[in-house]
C-alpha cells in the first residue's frame, strides 16, 4: 500500500509536468527535452527529499537502534532499546533475528523489531569478491530499510560491525535530517586483523573506513576510558564513556529457581543429571539434580552435600577467545585430583554460539576427564541470568582485539556477585580488581593454580572465593538504568 505522502508527491509532479508539456508543444519553445527532463528530475528529487524529511507529532520520540548482527546476542543494544522505551521513546530495532531477544524486548509495546536477513555474499570464487558483493548488497538492503521506515529523530548504531553500516546510517541521517550516534564497543578492523593480519589490504581499508566515517557522527559513546582517550587522541572523536553495567535481571538466583533451571537443563544435558536414574536416588520423595535436591513433601530445596563446583564461561566462540587455555587448565585440575588433592569435582558450562564452537566441541570430545564434566549449551535469554546467579565461579577468556574494550560477560557475572578469573589484557583493570573481586591470569598453568586455590575449601564460604563474593555484594555499583539515565539520556533528549 502506498503511503499518503507518495500519492501527494505523484500528484504534485503530474501537475507540474502537464503544464510544462502543454506549453512546450503550443509555443514551439526552444527549450530542449534534456532541460525539461532535468527540471522534472529536480522537481521529483525535491519532492522525494521533502517526503523523507516529513516530520509528524511523534518524530522527536522515534529512535532507531541499529546493529548489523544478531539482536539476541547484542545485550547492550537491547538495554539501549529498553531504556529508551522506559522514557517514552518509540524504538525501531533493526538487526538480524537469529536468536531470541530478551522477553522484555519482545513484549515492550514501544519496541518494534525490523528484522533484516544476513547477507552471505557469493559462495564461489575469491573470498575478496564474496566480501565485496556482501558489502554492496547489505548496503542496498540497509539503505532501503532506513529510507522506508518512519522518520527517526536519531539512529543509534553499534560498532563493530560497522561496515557498511556506519556509512549507510550517516548518509540516511544526512538525507532525513536525523542525528547519528555511534556506540563504540571495539574497533572492527582489529577484530578482522585477528584472522587476516594487520597488514592485509581489507584490514587497512576497514581501519581507514572507521577513521573516516566515525568522526561524522553527531555523538559517540564508548565502553572504557581507555577507548575514550584513544578515540580522542588518534581519531579526533570526542566520546562519552558508558560503562557496561548489569541489568536488574542479573542477581543471585534463589535455590528454588536454581533447582528448576537445573531440572530443565538435565532434560537435554546429562551433566546436570543426578547419578541415580531419572533424577531419583533411592528416595522417591527427593527430586535430585547433580547440584540440588528438592523435598517433594514440602518443596524445600537444598544444595547437594557432595555437589560439584559449577564453573561458568560464556562466549561468542570467536578468535579473540582462546578456549584451549581453559581446556588445558581443566586437564591440569583433573591431574591435581588424581594426584591426591582434596578438590571438588567440576561441572564446567560454556554457553554461547559462534563460528568456532564445533572446533572446540571436537577438542572437548578428545579429553579423558573423570572429575570434570563439560557441556556447551545455548541458553534462552531468560535462563542465562539464572545460570550466572547459580554458579560458583566464572571464567573469562575474552582478550580484546584492540585492548580497549571490556567483556560484558564479566559485568553480568559481577551483577550476580559471581567472582571471576579473567585473562589479562591492557585495560582489564578498569573492571576486574585482582584479589578483590576475582583473579587475573596469563596462561593455562596460572588459571589451573587459581582454580585449585579458590576451590580448595569448597563448598565452604570462608575461603578466598567466599571473600570475593562478599566484596562484590558490598561494593555493588550502579545498575544499567541509572548509568544510562546519567550518561545517555541527556544526549538523546537534546534537540
Amino acid at each position: 500500500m502506498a503511503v499518503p505522502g507518495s500519492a501527494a508527491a505523484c500528484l504534485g509532479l503530474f501537475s507540474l509536468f502537464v503544464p510544462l508539456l502543454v506549453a512546450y508543444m503550443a509555443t514551439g519553445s526552444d527549450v530542449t527535452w534534456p532541460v525539461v527532463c532535468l527540471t522534472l528530475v529536480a522537481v521529483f528529487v525535491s519532492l522525494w527529499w521533502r517526503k523523507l524529511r516529513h516530520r509528524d507529532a511523534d518524530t522527536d520520540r522515534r529512535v532507531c537502534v541499529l546493529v548489523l548482527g544478531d539482536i539476541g546476542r547484542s545485550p547492550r543494544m537491547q538495554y539501549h532499546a529498553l531504556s529508551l522505551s522506559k522514557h517514552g521513546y518509540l524504538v525501531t530495532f533493526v538487526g538480524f533475528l537469529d536468536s531470541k531477544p530478551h522477553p522484555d524486548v519482545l513484549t515492550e509495546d514501544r519496541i518494534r523489531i525490523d528484522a533484516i536477513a544476513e547477507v552471505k555474499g557469493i559462495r564461489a570464487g575469491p573470498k575478496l569478491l564474496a566480501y565485496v558483493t556482501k558489502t554492496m548488497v547489505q548496503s542496498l538492503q540497509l539503505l532501503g530499510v532506513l529510507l522506508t521506515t518512519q522518520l527517526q529523530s536519531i539512529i543509534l548504531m553499534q560498532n563493530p560491525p560497522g561496515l557498511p553500516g556506519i556509512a549507510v546510517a550517516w548518509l540516511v541521517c544526512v538525507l532525513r535530517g536525523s542525528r547519528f550516534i555511534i556506540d563504540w564497543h571495539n574497533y572492527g578492523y582489529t577484530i578482522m586483523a585477528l584472522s587476516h593480519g594487520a597488514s592485509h589490504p581489507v584490514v587497512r581499508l576497514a581501519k581507514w573506513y572507521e577513521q573516516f566515517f566515525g568522526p561524522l557522527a553527531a555523538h559517540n559513546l564508548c565502553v572504557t576510558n581507555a577507548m575514550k582517550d584513544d578515540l580522542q587522541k588518534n581519531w579526533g572523536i570526542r566520546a562519552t564513556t558508558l560503562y557496561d553495567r548489569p541489568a536488574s535481571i542479573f542477581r543471585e538466583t534463589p535455590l528454588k529457581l536454581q533447582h528448576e533451571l537445573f531440572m530443565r537443563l538435565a532434560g537435554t544435558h546429562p551433566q546436570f543429571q543426578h547419578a541415580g536414574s531419572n533424577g531419583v536416588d533411592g528416595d522417591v520423595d527427593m527430586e535430585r539434580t547433580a547440584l540440588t535436591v528438592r523435598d517433594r513433601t514440602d518443596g524445600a530445596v537444598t544444595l547437594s552435600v557432595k555437589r560439584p563446583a559449577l564453573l561458568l564461561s560464556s562466549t561468542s566462540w570467536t578468535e579473540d577467545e582462546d578456549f584451549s587455555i581453559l581446556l588445558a587448565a581443566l586437564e591440569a585440575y583433573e591431574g591435581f585430583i588424581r594426584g591426591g588433592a582434596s578438590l571438588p569435582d567440576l561441572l564446567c558450562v560454556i554457553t554461547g554460539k559462534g563460528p568456532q564452537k564445533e572446533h572446540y566441541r571436537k577438542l572437548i570430545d578428545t579429553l579423558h576427564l573423570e572429575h570434570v564434566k563439560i557441556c556447551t549449551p545455548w541458553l534462552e535469554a531468560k535462563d542465562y541470568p539464572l545460570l550466572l546467579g547459580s554458579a560458583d565461579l566464572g571464567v573469562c577468556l575474552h582478550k580484546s582485539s584492540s585492548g580497549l574494550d571490556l567483556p560484558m560477560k564479566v559485568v553480568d557475572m559481577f551483577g550476580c556477585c559471581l567472582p571471576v578469573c579473567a585473562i589479562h589484557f591492557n585495560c582489564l583493570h578498569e573492571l576486574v580488581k585482582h584479589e578483590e573481586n576475582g583473579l587475573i591470569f596469563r596462561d593455562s598453568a596460572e588459571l589451573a593454580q587459581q582454580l585449585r586455590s579458590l576451590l580448595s575449601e569448597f563448598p565452604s564460604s570462608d575461603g578466598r572465593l567466599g571473600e570475593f563474593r562478599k566484596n562484590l555484594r558490598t561494593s555493588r555499583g550502579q545498575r544499567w538504568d541509572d548509568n544510562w539515565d546519567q550518561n545517555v539520556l541527556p544526549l538523546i533528549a537534546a534537540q
Side-chain angles (χ1 to χ4, degrees):
M1 180 180 292
V3 295
S6 63
C10 291
L11 182 61
L13 183 61
F14 181 76
S15 65
L16 287 170
F17 174 77
V18 172
L20 281 171
L21 182 61
V22 171
Y24 174 80
M25 296 178 64
T27 63
S29 172
D30 292 333
V31 178
T32 61
W33 270 111
V35 173
V36 175
C37 291
L38 286 174
T39 302
L40 292 175
V41 169
V43 171
F44 179 80
V45 169
S46 177
L47 291 172
W48 176 68
W49 195 5
R50 183 177 179 182
K51 176 180 176 294
L52 284 178
R53 289 174 164 251
H54 175 70
R55 304 177 70 86
D56 58 33
D58 291 328
T59 297
D60 290 339
R61 306 299 296 173
R62 285 196 291 264
V63 177
C64 174
V65 175
L66 170 63
V67 51
L68 276 183
D70 185 6
I71 290 175
R73 289 191 286 163
S74 303
R76 182 173 165 108
M77 302 312 286
Q78 292 186 66
Y79 296 166
H80 275 304
L82 288 169
S83 293
L84 286 162
S85 67
K86 288 176 183 177
H87 287 278
Y89 288 92
L90 306 173
V91 179
T92 301
F93 206 156
V94 178
F96 308 148
L97 202 54
D98 298 331
S99 305
K100 190 176 180 180
H102 192 274
D104 289 350
V105 173
L106 296 174
T107 57
E108 173 54 58
D109 292 337
R110 294 189 182 92
I111 299 176
R112 186 186 84 247
I113 296 178
D114 276 3
I116 57 177
E118 183 175 3
V119 178
K120 301 297 183 182
I122 298 175
R123 297 186 180 275
K127 290 184 178 180
L128 181 60
L129 178 61
Y131 187 78
V132 170
T133 57
K134 174 182 177 179
T135 301
M136 293 174 62
V137 172
Q138 199 157 64
S139 297
L140 295 174
Q141 175 197 45
L142 186 57
L143 191 63
V145 170
L146 296 180
L147 287 179
T148 55
T149 190
Q150 288 180 298
L151 178 60
Q152 310 286 311
S153 63
I154 294 170
I155 296 180
L156 171 58
M157 179 188 168
Q158 170 185 309
N159 180 68
L163 187 68
I166 296 179
V168 173
W170 169 78
L171 176 60
V172 170
C173 287
V174 170
L175 292 174
R176 308 200 73 175
S178 305
R179 284 188 294 151
F180 185 30
I181 300 177
I182 299 176
D183 189 4
W184 297 84
H185 297 193
N186 200 345
Y187 297 147
Y189 79 91
T190 62
I191 295 176
M192 295 174 67
L194 292 175
S195 54
H196 298 295
S199 61
H200 194 282
V202 172
V203 176
R204 294 203 305 267
L205 177 62
K207 182 177 181 179
W208 170 87
Y209 170 88
E210 285 182 291
Q211 288 183 324
F212 180 82
F213 284 100
L216 300 179
H219 301 288
N220 292 271
L221 305 171
C222 63
V223 294
T224 64
N225 282 329
M227 179 172 281
K228 175 183 178 179
D229 294 340
D230 188 74
L231 285 168
Q232 176 68 60
K233 179 180 178 181
N234 298 316
W235 300 53
I237 293 174
R238 296 182 62 184
T240 299
T241 301
L242 178 70
Y243 280 117
D244 285 321
R245 300 294 188 204
S248 58
I249 56 174
F250 290 97
R251 55 186 179 272
E252 294 180 81
T253 305
L255 276 177
K256 181 176 181 295
L257 294 181
Q258 287 190 35
H259 181 75
E260 293 172 358
L261 172 65
F262 297 153
M263 286 296 295
R264 290 197 297 274
L265 290 172
T268 52
H269 299 282
Q271 295 89 343
F272 282 90
Q273 295 174 4
H274 184 256
S277 60
N278 299 321
V280 179
D281 186 18
D283 191 344
V284 294
D285 290 332
M286 296 296 177
E287 180 183 67
R288 300 177 184 272
T289 70
L291 301 108
T292 52
V293 180
R294 186 178 76 89
D295 190 330
R296 296 180 189 272
T297 59
D298 60 7
V301 176
T302 56
L303 291 169
S304 300
V305 176
K306 294 185 178 181
R307 70 185 184 278
L310 180 54
L311 185 72
L312 179 67
S313 186
S314 59
T315 177
S316 298
W317 296 109
T318 51
E319 290 89 347
D320 60 354
E321 293 179 304
D322 183 0
F323 267 81
S324 65
I325 295 174
L326 176 58
L327 299 184
L330 294 177
E331 286 187 293
Y333 185 89
E334 174 84 11
F336 297 152
I337 297 179
R338 291 182 178 180
S342 179
L343 293 168
D345 286 355
L346 274 183
L347 172 50
C348 178
V349 181
I350 309 171
T351 177
K353 285 182 180 179
Q356 293 194 321
K357 183 172 183 176
E358 286 306 312
H359 165 73
Y360 282 108
R361 286 184 67 174
K362 290 177 182 178
L363 288 181
I364 291 170
D365 291 340
T366 66
L367 302 179
H368 301 287
L369 304 176
E370 179 184 355
H371 299 280
V372 179
K373 295 180 179 179
I374 305 172
C375 66
T376 58
W378 167 250
L379 297 175
E380 294 291 335
K382 63 182 179 62
D383 284 339
Y384 178 61
L386 297 178
L387 186 60
L388 285 187
S390 305
D392 298 299
L393 178 63
V395 172
C396 176
L397 290 160
H398 173 85
K399 199 166 187 177
S400 171
S401 61
S402 64
L404 299 172
D405 71 304
L406 293 172
M408 192 165 187
K409 66 198 74 178
V410 174
V411 174
D412 295 337
M413 290 174 181
F414 285 171
C416 296
C417 297
L418 178 63
V420 170
C421 292
I423 195 165
H424 175 269
F425 63 89
N426 286 343
C427 69
L428 184 62
H429 65 275
E430 292 190 37
L431 178 61
V432 180
K433 312 299 182 184
H434 188 66
E435 293 287 0
E436 181 179 325
N437 53 23
L439 297 174
I440 296 174
F441 62 90
R442 286 172 171 78
D443 54 35
S444 60
E446 191 172 9
L447 174 59
Q449 290 297 334
Q450 289 178 359
L451 295 180
R452 179 174 186 165
S453 173
L454 292 175
L455 297 174
S456 60
E457 298 182 54
F458 184 86
S460 171
S461 59
D462 296 332
R464 294 170 75 203
L465 191 61
E467 190 64 30
F468 292 164
R469 191 179 288 272
K470 290 176 184 177
N471 291 341
L472 286 167
R473 287 170 178 159
T474 57
S475 64
R476 192 172 302 184
Q478 276 187 319
R479 289 283 171 164
W480 171 269
D481 289 337
D482 293 335
N483 188 37
W484 193 92
D485 290 354
Q486 178 180 329
N487 291 287
V488 183
L489 184 59
L491 299 179
I492 299 292
Q495 297 297 328

